[in-house]
Amino acid sequence: MSDRADEPSPASQEATAAGRPGERRRAVSLRAPANPVSRKAVTLWLMEGVLWSIVLVGGSFFLARWIDEGRWSWLPGWALDNVWWLPWLMVLLLVPGTLVEPFWRYAVHRWELSEDVVYARSGWLSREWVFVPVSRIQTVDKAQGWFERMLGLATVEIRTASHAGSSTIKGLDYEVAAELAEGLARRAEELRDDAT
């Protein structure tokens, strides 16, 4: 798959969306979803990254202290003599990733709702493309964590009977998330009513 949003790979030019029974299957082209997440999502991911970095660096500090006090005999002498490098190594490894990840994720995360399919792309080290047929949606939830509430953001969770067909769109403005969740629920209900 191509890393560029506007160039899908030739091998995956088309994916098939499931329709109602007896209806012809339509081809859905694999393309970049049109809508970016909120710019405030960068701040959200930065806050989450800083929080996890603090937890990991703090944990490495306590681990180094525990190792130093216990003088674990099974560790090589050079490791025991340099155990206080562990927290600094964690800082060195985590700070660049914590600063780069939010911007990279913002460049990748996209979503779109067409008449009968929800497209979502997410990830940062690896990328995930999800096409959820609206007719298969069973539940649509809107959620807010602490940081999301502070920033006026929300997450839309779309669930189907199959876990593989479910999707989560994180980093949406609260109003956009509410409108998307309501629109998806209404459209899924209409498609179910049409099928009966």
Side-chain angles (χ1 to χ4, degrees):
M1 184 176 312
S2 172
D3 284 342
R4 292 192 46 172
D6 52 353
E7 291 183 20
S9 69
S12 57
Q13 282 290 327
E14 293 186 349
T16 304
R20 293 184 296 250
E23 192 177 272
R24 280 184 60 173
R25 302 178 128 223
R26 294 186 343 197
V28 178
S29 63
L30 181 60
R31 59 182 170 73
N35 305 312
V37 295
S38 173
R39 275 213 169 278
K40 293 184 281 186
V42 173
T43 306
L44 171 68
W45 292 321
L46 184 61
M47 291 168 68
E48 290 174 345
V50 167
L51 177 66
W52 281 110
S53 294
I54 290 169
V55 168
L56 290 172
V57 169
S60 68
F61 172 79
F62 286 112
L63 178 62
R65 184 173 172 202
W66 184 34
I67 291 171
D68 192 39
E69 288 176 357
R71 298 301 290 178
W72 293 358
S73 60
W74 57 271
L75 285 175
W78 63 267
L80 289 172
D81 294 338
N82 298 309
V83 73
W84 287 104
W85 281 95
L86 181 62
W88 291 108
L89 181 63
M90 290 298 290
V91 168
L92 185 67
L93 294 174
L94 290 173
V95 167
T98 299
L99 296 177
V100 170
E101 177 198 5
F103 297 100
W104 198 326
R105 285 178 73 175
Y106 179 77
V108 172
H109 284 228
R110 297 282 183 270
W111 67 277
E112 182 179 345
L113 171 61
S114 73
E115 191 171 319
D116 56 355
V117 177
V118 179
Y119 303 89
R121 185 180 68 188
S122 61
W124 74 289
L125 289 177
S126 61
R127 305 225 175 134
E128 180 179 300
W129 295 70
V130 179
F131 298 89
V132 181
V134 174
S135 61
R136 303 272 173 114
I137 293 174
Q138 291 190 332
T139 62
V140 180
D141 296 321
K142 183 177 64 205
Q144 276 188 308
W146 293 351
F147 291 148
E148 286 176 314
R149 202 169 314 127
M150 286 172 43
L151 297 169
L153 297 173
T155 298
V156 174
E157 298 172 357
I158 304 163
R159 294 193 185 94
T160 64
S162 164
H163 174 71
S166 300
S167 180
T168 299
I169 305 171
K170 188 172 183 169
L172 298 175
D173 283 315
Y174 183 82
E175 296 79 19
V176 172
E179 186 178 316
L180 177 61
E182 184 180 325
L184 278 173
R186 187 180 327 108
R187 184 72 184 126
E189 187 65 33
E190 288 170 3
L191 288 174
R192 274 193 294 273
D193 289 345
D194 288 348
T196 56

